[in-house]
Amino acid sequence: MSRTWRPPFALDLGAVLAPLRRGPGDPSFQLDADGAVWLTANTPAGPGTLRLRRPGDEVEGQAWGDGARWLLDGLPALLGGLDDDSAFRPHHPLIAESRRRRPGIRLGASGRVWDALLPSVLEQKVTGTEAHRSYRQLCLRFGLPAPGPAPAGMRVPPTPRAVLGITDWQWHKAGVDGGRRRALVAAAQVAHRLENAADLKGEPGRALLCKVPGVGPWTAAEVAQRVWGDPDAVSFGDYHLAAHVGWALVGEPVDDDGMAELLAPCAPQRHRAVRYLLASGVRKPRFGPRFAARDYRAI
């Protein structure tokens, strides 16, 4: 199946889709030699593969699998078609300048809670390298092959049923510790109910996700940003975010409380402000060695 869509706004396709990619080796998100974006998904209709390219003013989408029609129907939302930034007022010159330079940044909505929740839980309290490695291994071992002529090695993320069938030694082999595996099992057991978070949206949607043991505000925010394009879902508790925001806005690192104070004038669109700050390229300088990644498989 195929569909062509002309966005009625400036669109940076790569920037809008970037949050869906979990590391350069993500088996559910790849770029081909022609610059097209390939992604896989678990949809209410079944697994599907979506290919997106933008040769001109229009976005061309092709889809395969049982979920093909669902993915094409959701194409505008995925690319920020439901995002409304008309009420956003930058409260800092850097945010305003970043918005002027990057008008194509929008908040996309995938509509797929489970597909965002799985890698978000894996990213709790570990380095990105560790989380991406675990996600890659779980997709390759327990995910279905991508429908259609997708790039070699692409997989659909493991379904909740597949996650419930993973044994302790298989979790260990994938480098997932006990806390994260318990959170994923608990989420998989009620995954059908958690999909309602995409309909509730906002604080009610995030609160529903937090009812799962092991899912807190950081994880809920990470899901909300991707699934319904929540403009106010700030990832409080992130290891680096508060320091980057503080450095960009006041020239020094701050903690979560300080970040909340700095972003308060942007409510209820604080996450949008963060996206523009990160897009500006301003970061806290690095001092000393980077945190060494652990390998739970060796424990």
Side-chain angles (χ1 to χ4, degrees):
M1 296 183 179
S2 62
R3 174 180 183 178
T4 299
W5 179 64
R6 182 187 295 271
F9 44 74
L11 174 65
D12 185 334
L13 187 66
V16 173
L17 294 176
L20 299 179
R21 190 178 194 182
R22 307 294 182 142
D26 184 350
S28 64
F29 189 115
Q30 291 293 316
L31 303 176
D32 65 19
D34 296 328
V37 177
W38 292 79
L39 57 88
T40 63
N42 291 296
T43 79
T49 300
L50 179 64
R51 179 179 186 265
L52 297 172
R53 61 187 298 267
R54 191 179 186 188
D57 293 335
E58 297 178 332
V59 177
E60 298 177 353
Q62 294 176 288
W64 296 264
D66 293 339
R69 174 56 58 195
W70 191 93
L71 288 170
L72 291 176
D73 288 345
L75 178 59
L78 179 69
L79 299 182
L82 301 180
D83 185 24
D84 181 9
D85 67 347
S86 59
F88 180 66
R89 298 293 181 267
H91 76 293
H92 189 279
L94 181 61
I95 299 175
E97 177 64 13
S98 181
R99 189 188 193 196
R100 186 188 69 81
R101 290 177 176 272
R102 303 289 299 275
I105 294 179
R106 299 187 69 85
L107 304 181
S110 72
R112 297 176 283 109
V113 172
W114 171 256
D115 283 1
L117 182 59
L118 171 61
S120 295
V121 171
L122 290 174
E123 291 172 2
Q124 294 176 354
K125 300 180 181 180
V126 297
T127 65
T129 298
E130 295 171 84
H132 296 158
R133 179 177 59 209
S134 295
Y135 182 62
R136 181 169 59 250
Q137 293 187 8
L138 291 176
C139 285
L140 293 175
R141 186 173 179 85
F142 302 103
L144 294 174
M154 286 201 72
R155 292 290 189 275
V156 181
T159 64
R161 175 175 294 184
V163 165
L164 291 175
I166 299 176
T167 64
D168 286 347
W169 73 269
Q170 289 169 329
W171 283 117
H172 186 77
K173 189 174 182 180
V176 183
D177 61 277
R180 289 180 294 157
R181 92 179 60 160
R182 285 190 293 272
L184 284 173
V185 169
Q189 291 171 337
V190 294
H192 62 292
R193 299 180 184 176
L194 297 180
E195 294 297 330
N196 293 330
D199 298 322
L200 294 172
K201 299 183 173 60
E203 179 59 33
R206 300 196 298 270
L208 175 60
L209 296 175
C210 288
K211 291 183 180 296
V212 178
V215 174
W218 180 89
T219 306
E222 291 287 307
V223 174
Q225 294 163 11
R226 294 164 172 82
V227 178
W228 59 86
D230 193 326
D232 202 46
V234 180
S235 300
F236 290 108
D238 190 271
Y239 189 75
H240 299 288
L241 184 61
H244 288 321
V245 169
W247 192 269
L249 294 181
V250 296
E252 62 182 17
V254 298
D255 57 14
D256 275 357
D257 290 338
M259 179 170 65
E261 183 178 350
L262 290 174
L263 294 177
C266 289
Q269 301 204 39
R270 295 174 296 174
H271 171 58
R272 190 186 307 279
V274 170
R275 284 294 304 273
Y276 285 126
L277 285 174
L278 295 179
S280 73
V282 178
R283 297 288 192 279
K284 177 181 72 70
R286 292 177 177 175
F287 302 100
R290 299 184 65 180
F291 182 77
R294 295 163 293 181
D295 190 344
Y296 285 99
R297 299 171 297 177
I299 298 178

